[in-house]
Structure formats: C-alpha cells, structure tokens
Amino acid sequence: MSSQHMFQIRPYDCDAYGHLATARYLRIVHEADSAGPGRLASTVASWQPRTLFFEFFRPLNAGDQVEVLTTSTSDCLREYVLRRSGSEEIAATASIEWWLANLGRGEPAATATQGEPQDARNLSSFGPPELPRPPRGVFSMERRVLWHDIGSDYAMRLGAYGRIVIDCSIEVGAHFGWSVQRSQEEGIGYVARRLWMEFGQPAGLGDDLRVSSYVSQLKRSTIIRHYLCLLYTSPSP
C-alpha cells in the first residue's frame, strides 16, 4: 500500500546553508506517515519509532515543493522517497520501523497486526556503523523535553530528536574550538549523508536528557559522528 503527499519548503524550514534542515526531513516523513492510509489506529497507544535509516542525495531549498511517496509493507514498516516536485531525481530516502506503545507507559501494546519486528536498517545496503565505546572525556550536554517537543501523545516528536542531534553537533564543535564561525572562515561545512537512529524508551514532557557525542572513522572528507541520548535524573539543587 502506498500514498503520496506534497510539502512546501518554507525559509524557516532551512538551516544556515539554505538547505532543508535535518530535523525537518524527519518531521516531513512523520507527517506523511501520519496522513497515510493503512495505519492501525488506537486511542490508548501511539506509534513510536524503533529504528530509522535516512540517506540524503540532493539538498532541498526554500520554495521547493516536495513529493513524499510512502510505501507500507506492514503496520510497522514504512519506506519513504522524497523528490522535488517536477523532478524524477530522488532527494532523499528513508525507512522507519514503528512500534505501538501504550500511552504513558512506553511499553509495547499487544496487537495482532504488528507482526515480527523488522529492522529498518536492513533495508539499507550500507549497514549501520559499529558503535564504539565512548572515549574518556566525551562531550555531553543536557536538554529538557519541552512543550513544543511533544505531540498529542505527550511523547517526544521525531523531529525533536533531530533538532537535539544537530544542536549537539554544533555545541561539540564549539567546545573543541571549531565554532560555526571558524569553520566558515576556514571554508569548511558539514552536511549529513546518512543517518541511522535507534530508539528505546520514548522521552516525554519534562524528561531530562543527556546527549553525548564523539567521532570515528575520520577520513579526508567524511566522518561518522555518534550520539547517545539518555534519560537521566537532574541533580537536586
């Protein structure tokens, strides 16, 4: 089963490079998925991401209209193809495995239609990178889940995870002396080529998150950046 939806890219959807921001890609596929047919509805449970793979081919810019083709292979697994309207060239592709969680508890809801778990990463010919152990002195930052981060199920939206990841990448660069300004002065810019995400317990309103980031496989023009986003208890004042 498949469905198609159109999205208009606004200037505020773009980052400082003028490209559609990574978090907005996540938001678009989430909205396309929510609007598509064939999704099992529930008033006591909500669909939460379990695994995600995104691959970026061509940037999208303000003023572009984006066609999103969503293909459903089950209630759990969705594949997405993003194209600029009027073009046959693919801008990005994504695969997401969703699971049905009991609202307020973050536990799997028993459904006859969910079937066996299907890892979205298996749809990619590039397997997920191995997650090395964090080095000593790894950079970490803290964020609290706020009202604008959550949906009607009070769980953190997919796009909000994307914002946290990008914020962390900017802050870790500045922490080690490579601010955005310095990178621009040196003629250096970073864009995402592929994105893998694995999700555990859904974060909700008021939760405190600790996000750590470190790199591996540093090459001449590419690098893999890893992120760990953990729920934690804030120290008492």
Side-chain angles (χ1 to χ4, degrees):
M1 183 179 295
S2 63
S3 61
Q4 187 166 313
H5 298 85
M6 296 285 291
F7 294 88
Q8 180 73 39
I9 307 301
R10 309 293 184 181
Y12 53 75
D13 293 321
C14 299
D15 57 22
Y17 295 141
H19 300 160
L20 181 64
T22 303
R24 295 294 189 177
Y25 280 96
L26 301 182
R27 189 207 68 185
I28 283 175
V29 297
H30 196 175
E31 291 183 5
D33 183 87
S34 301
R39 172 66 83 195
L40 179 66
S42 175
T43 58
V44 296
S46 67
W47 288 97
Q48 299 297 323
R50 177 149 49 188
T51 55
L52 173 150
F53 173 74
F54 233 111
E55 189 163 16
F56 305 93
F57 300 101
R58 293 171 180 81
L60 295 168
N61 309 102
D64 287 341
Q65 281 195 319
V66 183
E67 299 176 354
V68 182
L69 176 65
T70 304
T71 302
S72 310
T73 59
S74 70
D75 276 325
C76 297
L77 195 59
R78 296 288 194 269
E79 299 175 50
Y80 312 84
V81 178
L82 288 73
R83 290 185 175 89
R84 184 180 288 107
S85 180
S87 173
E88 292 298 317
E89 294 183 338
I90 295 176
T93 60
S95 303
I96 305 178
E97 181 210 358
W98 301 86
W99 62 286
L100 196 58
N102 286 318
L103 293 178
R105 292 189 294 172
E107 300 171 352
T111 69
T113 56
Q114 251 188 293
E116 293 297 322
Q118 301 178 68
D119 196 331
R121 298 170 303 171
N122 294 334
L123 301 177
S124 163
S125 58
F126 309 93
E130 181 181 353
L131 184 63
R133 292 179 61 85
R136 295 182 61 182
V138 64
F139 174 84
S140 297
M141 70 177 200
E142 285 75 39
R143 287 289 186 272
R144 176 163 292 175
V145 180
L146 303 176
W147 181 256
H148 65 262
D149 295 320
I150 64 171
S152 58
D153 57 3
Y154 282 74
M156 191 166 168
R157 295 178 184 270
L158 189 57
Y161 287 100
R163 285 198 302 272
I164 285 180
V165 164
I166 297 304
D167 287 347
C168 185
S169 68
I170 298 299
E171 292 197 24
V172 69
H175 176 78
F176 288 106
W178 282 94
S179 64
V180 171
Q181 181 179 359
R182 180 184 176 188
S183 296
Q184 290 177 337
E185 290 172 350
E186 296 288 340
I188 298 172
Y190 298 94
V191 294
R193 178 180 293 179
R194 302 183 189 101
L195 175 67
W196 293 268
M197 301 180 80
E198 295 183 67
F199 301 86
Q201 169 73 28
L205 180 65
D207 283 342
D208 290 310
L209 307 176
R210 174 173 286 124
V211 188
S212 302
S213 182
Y214 53 98
V215 299
S216 69
Q217 299 187 36
L218 178 61
K219 299 179 182 179
R220 185 174 183 274
S221 60
T222 63
I223 191 172
I224 294 180
R225 178 164 289 282
H226 306 275
Y227 303 88
L228 291 174
C229 184
L230 304 176
L231 293 167
Y232 83 105
T233 302
S234 300
S236 300

